[in-house]
Amino acid sequence: RELNYQWFYEGRNGWWQYDARTNKEIEDAYQSEATTCQVLVVGLVFVVDFTRMLQYRIRDPSKRRKIKRDLSDAPMKGIAGISASRLD
Ligand code: V3L
């Protein structure tokens, strides 16, 4: 059976999935063996750092969030700030 992977960022007591477009950008960068990439979400530019496995706002690197690449069916709070209970 095929295993599907997804990128997640840290929330309060749980993980959020990146939205599908951003997830693809991150996965493409990861597959190209980049050490970092930048993504634009909610009007903010974030640095995704594959070496330290965290993301932070480029304008305010003090607020860091852990990230992980995990199976797409791993437990999550929702997608990009939309609670799982409100999806589908
Ligand atoms: N995708 C979408 N929104 C993001 C992302 C991202 N990758 N990274 C940060 N934000 P900061 P709980 C998050 C949002 O890191 O209840 C969640 O998506 C971030 O939203 O502080 O704590 C939820 O919407 C925050 O609003 O610089 O688990 C919300 O937090 C803003 O960008 C609450 O989640 C600044 O992020």
Side-chain angles (χ1 to χ4, degrees), residues 8-19 22 26 39-42 44 46 48 55-58 60 62-65 67 77 79-82:
F8 298 81
Y9 63 94
E10 180 183 30
R12 274 177 301 166
N13 46 58
W15 296 91
W16 294 100
Q17 287 189 2
Y18 285 85
D19 71 87
T22 306
I26 295 170
V39 296
L40 178 66
V41 273
V42 294
L44 298 167
F46 290 87
V48 174
Q55 70 153 55
Y56 50 87
R57 250 187 281 172
I58 197 164
D60 181 8
S62 65
K63 180 64 203 297
R64 300 181 187 132
R65 292 173 190 270
I67 62 170
K77 298 190 71 170
I79 302 175
I82 311 289

